[in-house]
mmCIF file of all heavy atoms in Angstrom:
data_model
loop_
_atom_site.group_PDB
_atom_site.id
_atom_site.type_symbol
_atom_site.label_atom_id
_atom_site.label_comp_id
_atom_site.label_asym_id
_atom_site.label_seq_id
_atom_site.Cartn_x
_atom_site.Cartn_y
_atom_site.Cartn_z
ATOM 1 N N VAL A 71 14.300 -64.899 -62.831
ATOM 2 C CA VAL A 71 15.174 -66.031 -63.090
ATOM 3 C C VAL A 71 15.690 -65.943 -64.515
ATOM 4 O O VAL A 71 14.900 -65.892 -65.449
ATOM 5 C CB VAL A 71 14.437 -67.371 -62.865
ATOM 6 C CG1 VAL A 71 15.336 -68.543 -63.211
ATOM 7 C CG2 VAL A 71 13.924 -67.478 -61.442
ATOM 8 N N PRO A 72 17.017 -65.914 -64.700
ATOM 9 C CA PRO A 72 17.540 -65.861 -66.064
ATOM 10 C C PRO A 72 17.428 -67.226 -66.752
ATOM 11 O O PRO A 72 17.540 -68.266 -66.116
ATOM 12 C CB PRO A 72 19.007 -65.472 -65.858
ATOM 13 C CG PRO A 72 19.344 -65.986 -64.500
ATOM 14 C CD PRO A 72 18.077 -65.897 -63.687
ATOM 15 N N ALA A 73 17.211 -67.202 -68.064
ATOM 16 C CA ALA A 73 17.126 -68.445 -68.830
ATOM 17 C C ALA A 73 18.511 -69.070 -68.998
ATOM 18 O O ALA A 73 18.630 -70.288 -69.078
ATOM 19 C CB ALA A 73 16.507 -68.171 -70.192
ATOM 20 N N GLY A 74 19.542 -68.254 -69.036
ATOM 21 C CA GLY A 74 20.922 -68.736 -69.175
ATOM 22 C C GLY A 74 21.806 -68.056 -68.149
ATOM 23 O O GLY A 74 21.330 -67.307 -67.290
ATOM 24 N N THR A 75 23.078 -68.302 -68.254
ATOM 25 C CA THR A 75 24.017 -67.699 -67.325
ATOM 26 C C THR A 75 24.294 -66.259 -67.724
ATOM 27 O O THR A 75 24.766 -66.001 -68.837
ATOM 28 C CB THR A 75 25.354 -68.480 -67.305
ATOM 29 O OG1 THR A 75 25.084 -69.823 -66.928
ATOM 30 C CG2 THR A 75 26.348 -67.872 -66.335
ATOM 31 N N PRO A 76 24.024 -65.310 -66.828
ATOM 32 C CA PRO A 76 24.366 -63.910 -67.127
ATOM 33 C C PRO A 76 25.889 -63.781 -67.315
ATOM 34 O O PRO A 76 26.658 -64.307 -66.490
ATOM 35 C CB PRO A 76 23.911 -63.158 -65.863
ATOM 36 C CG PRO A 76 22.879 -64.046 -65.240
ATOM 37 C CD PRO A 76 23.331 -65.439 -65.544
ATOM 38 N N PRO A 77 26.341 -63.136 -68.412
ATOM 39 C CA PRO A 77 27.783 -63.070 -68.716
ATOM 40 C C PRO A 77 28.622 -62.526 -67.557
ATOM 41 O O PRO A 77 29.734 -62.994 -67.333
ATOM 42 C CB PRO A 77 27.847 -62.138 -69.930
ATOM 43 C CG PRO A 77 26.503 -62.142 -70.517
ATOM 44 C CD PRO A 77 25.537 -62.451 -69.417
ATOM 45 N N GLU A 78 28.101 -61.578 -66.805
ATOM 46 C CA GLU A 78 28.865 -60.993 -65.712
ATOM 47 C C GLU A 78 29.061 -61.956 -64.534
ATOM 48 O O GLU A 78 29.871 -61.719 -63.643
ATOM 49 C CB GLU A 78 28.222 -59.691 -65.213
ATOM 50 C CG GLU A 78 26.872 -59.847 -64.560
ATOM 51 C CD GLU A 78 25.685 -59.867 -65.521
ATOM 52 O OE1 GLU A 78 25.878 -59.973 -66.744
ATOM 53 O OE2 GLU A 78 24.542 -59.783 -65.017
ATOM 54 N N LEU A 79 28.321 -63.063 -64.540
ATOM 55 C CA LEU A 79 28.428 -64.043 -63.451
ATOM 56 C C LEU A 79 29.237 -65.291 -63.825
ATOM 57 O O LEU A 79 29.415 -66.188 -63.003
ATOM 58 C CB LEU A 79 27.030 -64.451 -62.971
ATOM 59 C CG LEU A 79 26.202 -63.336 -62.348
ATOM 60 C CD1 LEU A 79 24.821 -63.845 -61.957
ATOM 61 C CD2 LEU A 79 26.915 -62.711 -61.160
ATOM 62 N N VAL A 80 29.725 -65.349 -65.071
ATOM 63 C CA VAL A 80 30.543 -66.483 -65.492
ATOM 64 C C VAL A 80 31.829 -66.484 -64.682
ATOM 65 O O VAL A 80 32.492 -65.458 -64.547
ATOM 66 C CB VAL A 80 30.868 -66.409 -67.008
ATOM 67 C CG1 VAL A 80 31.889 -67.460 -67.409
ATOM 68 C CG2 VAL A 80 29.599 -66.549 -67.817
ATOM 69 N N ASP A 81 32.181 -67.626 -64.095
ATOM 70 C CA ASP A 81 33.373 -67.768 -63.276
ATOM 71 C C ASP A 81 34.139 -68.996 -63.742
ATOM 72 O O ASP A 81 33.774 -70.124 -63.429
ATOM 73 C CB ASP A 81 32.978 -67.907 -61.794
ATOM 74 C CG ASP A 81 34.168 -68.001 -60.854
ATOM 75 O OD1 ASP A 81 35.314 -68.208 -61.332
ATOM 76 O OD2 ASP A 81 33.956 -67.875 -59.646
ATOM 77 N N ASN A 82 35.184 -68.768 -64.531
ATOM 78 C CA ASN A 82 36.003 -69.863 -65.031
ATOM 79 C C ASN A 82 37.359 -69.920 -64.341
ATOM 80 O O ASN A 82 38.265 -70.598 -64.805
ATOM 81 C CB ASN A 82 36.190 -69.744 -66.551
ATOM 82 C CG ASN A 82 34.893 -69.988 -67.285
ATOM 83 O OD1 ASN A 82 34.099 -70.836 -66.896
ATOM 84 N ND2 ASN A 82 34.660 -69.224 -68.336
ATOM 85 N N ASP A 83 37.513 -69.190 -63.234
ATOM 86 C CA ASP A 83 38.782 -69.160 -62.516
ATOM 87 C C ASP A 83 38.999 -70.462 -61.759
ATOM 88 O O ASP A 83 38.055 -71.188 -61.422
ATOM 89 C CB ASP A 83 38.818 -67.994 -61.537
ATOM 90 C CG ASP A 83 38.825 -66.640 -62.241
ATOM 91 O OD1 ASP A 83 39.191 -66.587 -63.429
ATOM 92 O OD2 ASP A 83 38.449 -65.650 -61.586
ATOM 93 N N GLN A 84 40.271 -70.737 -61.472
ATOM 94 C CA GLN A 84 40.631 -71.891 -60.670
ATOM 95 C C GLN A 84 40.105 -71.697 -59.244
ATOM 96 O O GLN A 84 39.765 -70.585 -58.837
ATOM 97 C CB GLN A 84 42.156 -72.042 -60.626
ATOM 98 C CG GLN A 84 42.790 -72.335 -61.966
ATOM 99 C CD GLN A 84 42.429 -73.722 -62.474
ATOM 100 O OE1 GLN A 84 42.344 -74.669 -61.711
ATOM 101 N NE2 GLN A 84 42.182 -73.819 -63.761
ATOM 102 N N LEU A 85 40.060 -72.785 -58.504
ATOM 103 C CA LEU A 85 39.693 -72.686 -57.100
ATOM 104 C C LEU A 85 40.726 -71.873 -56.350
ATOM 105 O O LEU A 85 41.903 -71.852 -56.723
ATOM 106 C CB LEU A 85 39.617 -74.082 -56.471
ATOM 107 C CG LEU A 85 38.496 -75.007 -56.947
ATOM 108 C CD1 LEU A 85 38.651 -76.377 -56.295
ATOM 109 C CD2 LEU A 85 37.138 -74.419 -56.639
ATOM 110 N N ASP A 86 40.291 -71.194 -55.296
ATOM 111 C CA ASP A 86 41.224 -70.584 -54.365
ATOM 112 C C ASP A 86 41.957 -71.719 -53.690
ATOM 113 O O ASP A 86 41.544 -72.887 -53.784
ATOM 114 C CB ASP A 86 40.464 -69.730 -53.348
ATOM 115 C CG ASP A 86 39.803 -68.500 -53.986
ATOM 116 O OD1 ASP A 86 40.397 -67.927 -54.924
ATOM 117 O OD2 ASP A 86 38.708 -68.112 -53.537
ATOM 118 N N PRO A 87 43.061 -71.439 -52.966
ATOM 119 C CA PRO A 87 43.745 -72.538 -52.266
ATOM 120 C C PRO A 87 42.762 -73.387 -51.469
ATOM 121 O O PRO A 87 41.900 -72.870 -50.756
ATOM 122 C CB PRO A 87 44.732 -71.805 -51.353
ATOM 123 C CG PRO A 87 45.006 -70.525 -52.077
ATOM 124 C CD PRO A 87 43.694 -70.152 -52.742
ATOM 125 N N VAL A 88 42.865 -74.704 -51.639
ATOM 126 C CA VAL A 88 41.895 -75.636 -51.062
ATOM 127 C C VAL A 88 42.384 -76.192 -49.736
ATOM 128 O O VAL A 88 43.483 -76.738 -49.659
ATOM 129 C CB VAL A 88 41.608 -76.793 -52.044
ATOM 130 C CG1 VAL A 88 40.738 -77.857 -51.403
ATOM 131 C CG2 VAL A 88 40.946 -76.261 -53.308
ATOM 132 N N GLU A 89 41.549 -76.031 -48.730
ATOM 133 C CA GLU A 89 41.747 -76.691 -47.452
ATOM 134 C C GLU A 89 40.410 -77.346 -47.131
ATOM 135 O O GLU A 89 39.439 -76.656 -46.780
ATOM 136 C CB GLU A 89 42.132 -75.697 -46.361
ATOM 137 C CG GLU A 89 42.448 -76.361 -45.051
ATOM 138 C CD GLU A 89 42.964 -75.387 -44.010
ATOM 139 O OE1 GLU A 89 43.673 -74.428 -44.367
ATOM 140 O OE2 GLU A 89 42.613 -75.591 -42.831
ATOM 141 N N GLU A 90 40.355 -78.663 -47.281
ATOM 142 C CA GLU A 90 39.094 -79.394 -47.117
ATOM 143 C C GLU A 90 38.614 -79.310 -45.676
ATOM 144 O O GLU A 90 39.335 -79.648 -44.745
ATOM 145 C CB GLU A 90 39.299 -80.853 -47.518
ATOM 146 C CG GLU A 90 38.027 -81.672 -47.454
ATOM 147 C CD GLU A 90 38.244 -83.102 -47.894
ATOM 148 O OE1 GLU A 90 38.906 -83.315 -48.926
ATOM 149 O OE2 GLU A 90 37.742 -83.999 -47.189
ATOM 150 N N HIS A 91 37.374 -78.852 -45.530
ATOM 151 C CA HIS A 91 36.776 -78.744 -44.193
ATOM 152 C C HIS A 91 36.124 -80.074 -43.795
ATOM 153 O O HIS A 91 36.268 -80.517 -42.672
ATOM 154 C CB HIS A 91 35.756 -77.609 -44.158
ATOM 155 C CG HIS A 91 35.400 -77.182 -42.783
ATOM 156 N ND1 HIS A 91 36.225 -76.375 -42.035
ATOM 157 C CD2 HIS A 91 34.356 -77.503 -42.014
ATOM 158 C CE1 HIS A 91 35.671 -76.201 -40.852
ATOM 159 N NE2 HIS A 91 34.533 -76.871 -40.819
ATOM 160 N N PHE A 92 35.371 -80.651 -44.725
ATOM 161 C CA PHE A 92 34.826 -81.993 -44.510
ATOM 162 C C PHE A 92 34.404 -82.583 -45.846
ATOM 163 O O PHE A 92 34.300 -81.889 -46.843
ATOM 164 C CB PHE A 92 33.648 -82.014 -43.502
ATOM 165 C CG PHE A 92 32.431 -81.191 -43.878
ATOM 166 C CD1 PHE A 92 31.490 -81.657 -44.792
ATOM 167 C CD2 PHE A 92 32.195 -79.963 -43.278
ATOM 168 C CE1 PHE A 92 30.378 -80.916 -45.111
ATOM 169 C CE2 PHE A 92 31.068 -79.205 -43.579
ATOM 170 C CZ PHE A 92 30.149 -79.679 -44.501
ATOM 171 N N ARG A 93 34.187 -83.890 -45.859
ATOM 172 C CA ARG A 93 33.683 -84.597 -47.038
ATOM 173 C C ARG A 93 32.175 -84.653 -46.903
ATOM 174 O O ARG A 93 31.653 -85.058 -45.864
ATOM 175 C CB ARG A 93 34.269 -86.007 -47.138
ATOM 176 C CG ARG A 93 33.731 -86.781 -48.340
ATOM 177 C CD ARG A 93 34.617 -87.899 -48.759
ATOM 178 N NE ARG A 93 35.856 -87.465 -49.386
ATOM 179 C CZ ARG A 93 35.960 -87.010 -50.644
ATOM 180 N NH1 ARG A 93 34.895 -86.901 -51.405
ATOM 181 N NH2 ARG A 93 37.115 -86.643 -51.138
ATOM 182 N N THR A 94 31.484 -84.248 -47.953
ATOM 183 C CA THR A 94 30.034 -84.143 -47.912
ATOM 184 C C THR A 94 29.373 -85.510 -48.031
ATOM 185 O O THR A 94 29.742 -86.315 -48.873
ATOM 186 C CB THR A 94 29.545 -83.251 -49.074
ATOM 187 O OG1 THR A 94 30.182 -81.979 -48.947
ATOM 188 C CG2 THR A 94 28.059 -83.068 -49.033
ATOM 189 N N GLY A 95 28.372 -85.715 -47.196
ATOM 190 C CA GLY A 95 27.516 -86.892 -47.261
ATOM 191 C C GLY A 95 26.195 -86.470 -47.868
ATOM 192 O O GLY A 95 26.009 -86.471 -49.082
#
Side-chain angles (χ1 to χ4, degrees):
V71 177
T75 301
E78 66 275 12
L79 296 178
V80 171
D81 183 347
N82 292 322
D83 294 339
Q84 296 292 322
L85 292 175
D86 292 325
V88 172
E89 184 175 325
E90 183 178 315
H91 197 79
F92 61 79
R93 179 158 289 284
T94 303

